[in-house]
Amino acid sequence: EAAHSHGRSRLNRRRQHQDLHSLMNSIKAAGWLPCIIFCFKRRECEGRAITLGKMKLTTPEEKDSIREVFDNALYALAEEDRDLE
């Protein structure tokens, strides 16, 4: 039964992954980006972040703008606080 339960768990994760892709594609098509998705479990949040990190949700121009804002915010920090690794 444990193997059966594990298979079901894998299927649920795959379905959630597909649902998230479908949801984000709909949000993008509707022009509702940026958006915030709430997750109440750390593991779920991390998994969704990885999934969404693989999706193309921004244009190259938007990516450049995001990078510039991020770099400026990072540069505003004290030097010892800039190492994010």
Side-chain angles (χ1 to χ4, degrees):
E1 178 159 321
H4 182 70
S5 174
H6 180 69
R8 218 174 331 150
S9 172
R10 207 170 345 139
L11 262 170
N12 281 340
R13 281 194 303 272
R14 185 178 301 140
R15 178 170 285 140
Q16 288 174 355
H17 178 80
Q18 291 169 342
D19 289 347
L20 182 59
H21 269 268
S22 177
L23 173 65
M24 291 308 298
N25 286 330
S26 296
I27 289 171
K28 183 178 180 182
W32 294 341
L33 291 175
C35 69
I36 298 173
I37 297 176
F38 289 93
C39 300
F40 298 101
K41 297 178 184 175
R42 173 178 273 169
R43 183 181 232 165
E44 183 180 324
C45 183
E46 291 170 350
R48 288 185 177 188
I50 290 168
T51 297
L52 292 174
K54 297 174 185 175
M55 293 184 74
K56 290 185 178 184
L57 299 172
T58 56
T59 66
E61 295 80 16
E62 290 169 330
K63 281 184 192 246
D64 290 343
S65 180
I66 292 166
R67 172 54 62 186
E68 184 178 344
V69 169
F70 176 81
D71 289 343
N72 288 338
L74 192 61
Y75 185 72
L77 295 173
E79 192 169 336
E80 62 269 12
D81 295 330
R82 293 181 192 165
D83 184 18
L84 299 177
E85 293 181 39

